[in-house]
Amino acid sequence: MKVLWLSPWMRPLARVYVDALHQAGHQCRLITSDQHYEPVPARDYERVLDPRPRDPRTLPPLLRVLADARRWRPDVVITELVWDPRWLPLTRLAPMVHLVHDDQPHDATEIRPAWQRALFRHLCRAATELVAFSEHVARRLDATVVPLTSDVADTDLPTITGPRRDFVLYGRIAPYKNVPVALRAWRRHLDSPAYAGDRLLIIGDGPADLGALPPHCEWRRGRFRYPDVLPVLGAAKGSLAHYRLATQSGVQLLSMQLGVTPIVSDSGGLPEFQPPGEQGVGVDDVTGLAAAFDALADPEAAEKRGAAAREHYLRWFAASRSAAALADILAQVS
């Protein structure tokens, strides 16, 4: 099966899927861009474009890629967060499967311009098949569910040695990430007899205003690279994803892949993503979140629960499993 994958923003994740599809015997081409926060050299199956519709210099490369894709004659086209309307001719080269990560903005900072929202609705209507990565989104859009995998290949995971330490909150620090509640809970954890000298490390940039940070808390602002973040997250006792709105969180998946327990809220963490026995904490429950810090402060407990989280990831969300489920859908529509 020849798969043409259009993903200008989710390039690392698309690469993981394309590699897994290649290993399963399919042929794939990925049309993408360097918009992701971690640009990388192009692989032989990638065509890297500059998706800025208002810049006329970006049109000739797009036309060349379109002509090349037509000659290649894909069996199926996958679209994923395509915001450039000039890419629409690529979507018509074969039956289209539209991947939907979220069906609504998480907060006001994620609201797209009206023309981009219209393009999203058009792709949903034009798709032969809609695919969502969680039951939560699938129910809203009447889509088929494929389990989401991590956007980090297993071969790129660091080797972690030594005892676990610290708690990590990483990603785009937006209002829906609920950081003020986390900081209040962290202050309460510092006063607990369970406190074991850890830090709360906030890694990433974003529009949130955190004010004065509590003791033993660091905000490492700016755009981060996975080679810098993975060793820190992989050594953590817990990963904070205590969000205000439900989301299929890549943070949850990467944390479990690394063997780190994700701490989620009952309204932001989807139960289908959580390891067995790991319950969400009330979104405004400062006492409950402090207790979650307390429970993972013991490195042996953190190690045991993290191992269970990794086992859960490998069983349900490994790239090979997710790509196989997606390939079944592609075969039906191609």
Side-chain angles (χ1 to χ4, degrees):
M1 184 166 47
K2 288 183 175 181
V3 180
L4 182 65
W5 196 304
L6 313 180
S7 183
W9 177 244
M10 305 294 287
R11 186 177 180 184
L13 180 61
R15 280 180 159 206
V16 170
Y17 277 111
V18 167
D19 289 343
L21 289 171
H22 280 158
Q23 291 174 8
H26 304 290
Q27 301 177 58
C28 303
R29 288 191 181 180
L30 171 61
I31 300 178
T32 185
S33 79
D34 274 333
Q35 288 192 64
H36 195 270
Y37 57 79
E38 194 162 0
V40 289
R43 293 175 177 166
D44 58 359
Y45 58 72
E46 288 184 297
R47 306 294 183 267
V48 183
L49 296 174
D50 185 343
R52 289 182 293 178
R54 297 179 182 179
D55 187 341
R57 295 172 298 179
T58 66
L59 183 57
L62 172 59
L63 293 177
R64 288 193 293 270
V65 166
L66 175 59
D68 180 57
R70 282 191 176 125
R71 288 190 296 269
W72 191 58
R73 301 182 65 180
D75 298 310
V76 63
V77 175
I78 294 175
T79 58
E80 181 180 34
L81 296 181
V82 171
W83 302 121
D84 187 342
R86 301 174 309 163
W87 287 35
L88 288 177
L90 289 162
T91 70
R92 303 185 187 111
L93 298 179
M96 180 179 64
V97 173
H98 184 43
L99 305 185
V100 181
H101 288 262
D102 292 296
D103 64 314
Q104 61 180 324
H106 293 109
D107 57 45
T109 68
E110 292 191 353
I111 296 177
R112 292 278 183 174
W115 67 271
Q116 290 189 357
R117 299 198 298 272
L119 181 57
F120 173 83
R121 291 192 296 271
H122 167 75
L123 291 172
C124 287
R125 291 193 302 268
T128 305
E129 187 77 31
L130 275 180
V131 169
F133 292 108
S134 70
E135 294 285 354
H136 175 79
V137 173
R139 284 193 297 269
R140 292 170 178 259
L141 298 178
D142 192 23
T144 304
V145 178
V146 166
L148 182 63
T149 193
S150 167
D151 64 357
V152 176
D154 284 333
T155 54
D156 293 333
L157 297 180
T159 300
I160 306 298
T161 59
R164 294 192 173 274
R165 59 191 181 279
D166 301 329
F167 293 84
V168 175
L169 191 165
Y170 93 92
R172 182 174 177 270
I173 311 302
Y176 83 93
K177 294 293 180 72
N178 204 28
V179 182
V181 171
L183 296 182
R184 291 198 293 273
W186 182 252
R187 287 187 174 93
R188 188 164 298 190
H189 171 62
L190 294 178
D191 294 331
S192 165
Y195 176 65
D198 297 303
R199 298 169 297 173
L200 175 60
L201 303 177
I202 303 172
I203 302 174
D205 212 345
D209 181 9
L210 304 187
L213 297 177
H216 307 292
C217 178
E218 301 176 16
W219 188 3
R220 300 178 181 178
R221 301 195 67 162
R223 304 180 80 178
F224 59 81
R225 297 178 64 253
Y226 272 146
D228 300 323
V229 172
L230 294 180
V232 179
L233 178 59
K237 294 178 176 178
S239 171
L240 198 59
H242 190 254
Y243 305 154
R244 301 203 68 85
L245 190 69
T247 176
Q248 55 272 19
S249 170
V251 172
Q252 283 177 264
L253 290 172
L254 178 56
S255 301
M256 292 190 294
Q257 183 188 22
L258 287 164
V260 177
T261 303
I263 304 172
V264 305
S265 72
D266 57 358
S267 61
L270 299 177
E272 64 197 274
F273 281 70
Q274 278 295 91
E278 297 291 344
Q279 302 298 318
V281 180
V283 70
D284 290 308
D285 185 357
V286 173
T287 300
L289 188 52
F293 287 133
D294 293 349
L296 286 168
D298 175 27
E300 291 187 5
E303 188 71 37
K304 181 178 179 180
R305 289 169 60 183
R310 176 162 172 76
E311 182 179 348
H312 180 67
Y313 172 85
L314 293 174
R315 182 177 181 182
W316 297 106
F317 301 102
S320 58
R321 176 184 175 87
S322 184
L326 179 59
D328 286 343
I329 295 170
L330 301 180
Q332 294 171 23
V333 305
S334 62

